């Protein structure tokens, strides 16, 4: 009962502060989040392909960030996080010969089709590098269309508060270009302990309780290490 009352009061405080949060920055920066699942026997080969692809893509004009990740616990699952100056440079890279060769090399290794999702900027900020022990979380947040605006504000507030957590290197919220009610949260933490502490923080608990009734699908959170 005490926990329920505390949670209700915290939720009310968070909702009261929604008007002070920021909305989509809309500065033209373009993002791509890609999910890759391959046969377990192809895990090492895929990691090598991704490492080479990442290094080459970082040198392409207009690139502002290119991160390849390997899932913790399911090492045959990978993700790519891309940041581009604008949609034109992102699309130019996606249509490049380099990207085509990469997709062709991956094709016989795949368990399911490559899932590449274009995103825009919702709530991002300059971050810091995390070391070899760093833990990344990539979460797909899907809410019903009528609850989009509320979810956006909740995510903006969560991002602002979570960036102040000890050990946080990055906490960004992206919005899927073709479905505004689908958002992706990208987190980077110095280590697993920092990530676990964030789970138990008051603002995290409040957010999860507040967004739960708005959800259109399961809260899909996946943990990764950097390749």
């Amino acid at each position: 009962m005490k926990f329920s009352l505390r949670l209700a009061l915290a939720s009310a405080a968070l909702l009261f502060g929604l008007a002070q949060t920021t909305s989509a920055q809309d500065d033209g920066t373009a993002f791509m989040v890609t999910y890759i699942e391959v046969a377990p026997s192809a895990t090492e080969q895929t990691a090598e392909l991704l490492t080479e692809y990442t290094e080459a893509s970082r040198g392409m004009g207009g690139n502002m960030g290119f991160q390849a990740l390997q899932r913790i616990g399911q090492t045959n699952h990978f993700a790519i996080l891309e940041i581009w100056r604008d949609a034109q440079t992102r699309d130019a890279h996606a249509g490049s010969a380099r990207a085509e060769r990469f997709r062709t090399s991956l094709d016989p290794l795949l368990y399911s089709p490559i899932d590449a999702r274009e995103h825009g900027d919702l709530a991002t900020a300059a971050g810091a590098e995390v070391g070899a022990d760093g833990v990344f979380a990539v979460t797909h947040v899907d809410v019903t269309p009528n609850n989009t605006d509320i979810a956006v504000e909740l995510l903006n507030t969560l991002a602002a508060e979570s960036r102040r957590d000890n050990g946080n290197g990055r906490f960004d919220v992206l919005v899927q270009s073709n479905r505004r009610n689908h958002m992706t949260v990208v987190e980077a933490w110095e280590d697993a302990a920092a990530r676990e502490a964030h789970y138990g923080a008051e603002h995290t608990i409040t957010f999860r309780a507040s967004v739960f009734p708005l959800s259109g699908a399961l809260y899909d959170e996946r943990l990764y290490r950097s390749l």
Side-chain angles (χ1 to χ4, degrees):
M1 181 68 70
K2 289 183 179 179
F3 176 80
S4 298
L5 178 59
R6 178 170 61 88
L7 187 58
L9 290 171
S11 297
L14 186 150
L15 289 170
F16 181 74
L18 290 183
Q20 299 178 359
T21 60
T22 57
S23 58
Q25 295 179 14
D26 194 24
D27 63 355
T29 307
F31 301 79
M32 183 80 83
V33 180
T34 303
Y35 300 94
I36 298 169
E37 298 180 13
V38 300
S41 59
T43 297
E44 185 174 341
Q45 183 180 356
T46 303
E48 292 174 357
L49 287 170
L50 271 168
T51 299
E52 295 171 0
Y53 182 57
T54 297
E55 289 301 320
S57 298
R58 284 174 177 164
M60 188 168 179
N63 182 254
M64 300 168 61
F66 207 101
Q67 184 89 46
L69 305 173
Q70 186 171 25
R71 192 171 180 183
I72 297 171
Q74 288 182 277
T75 56
N76 61 315
H77 290 199
F78 300 86
I80 305 174
L81 307 174
E82 306 175 37
I83 309 174
W84 297 91
R85 182 178 62 234
D86 49 39
Q88 289 73 29
T89 52
R90 179 192 61 199
D91 296 345
H93 173 264
S96 67
R98 177 188 297 117
E100 181 58 33
R101 287 194 300 270
F102 173 70
R103 290 190 293 267
T104 299
S105 298
L106 271 186
D107 190 57
L109 313 178
L110 295 172
Y111 253 6
S112 61
I114 296 173
D115 186 353
R117 302 181 179 221
E118 297 177 357
H119 287 70
D121 186 353
L122 191 62
T124 63
E129 294 290 331
V130 293
D133 293 329
V135 175
F136 293 79
V138 181
T139 306
H140 181 75
V141 181
D142 175 3
V143 299
T144 56
N146 60 305
N147 285 313
T148 299
D149 291 339
I150 299 174
V152 165
E153 299 297 353
L154 289 170
L155 282 162
N156 277 329
T157 300
L158 176 69
E161 295 179 341
S162 298
R163 291 182 192 123
R164 294 193 289 267
D165 287 346
N166 291 333
N168 180 255
R170 177 181 179 185
F171 206 104
D172 293 337
V173 184
L174 312 176
V175 59
Q176 198 165 313
S177 299
N178 62 344
R179 293 184 182 91
R180 188 169 173 266
N181 61 313
H182 289 228
M183 287 146 283
T184 300
V185 180
V186 178
E187 309 169 39
W189 300 91
E190 287 183 358
D191 51 35
R195 175 65 186 152
E196 287 294 327
H198 169 72
Y199 274 128
E202 186 72 29
H203 52 266
T204 306
I205 294 171
T206 298
F207 167 76
R208 292 293 295 268
S210 299
V211 82
F212 177 75
L214 315 179
S215 298
L218 289 175
Y219 191 81
D220 185 3
E221 180 181 68
R222 304 181 183 197
L223 300 182
Y224 297 86
R225 300 280 188 190
S226 178
L227 281 178

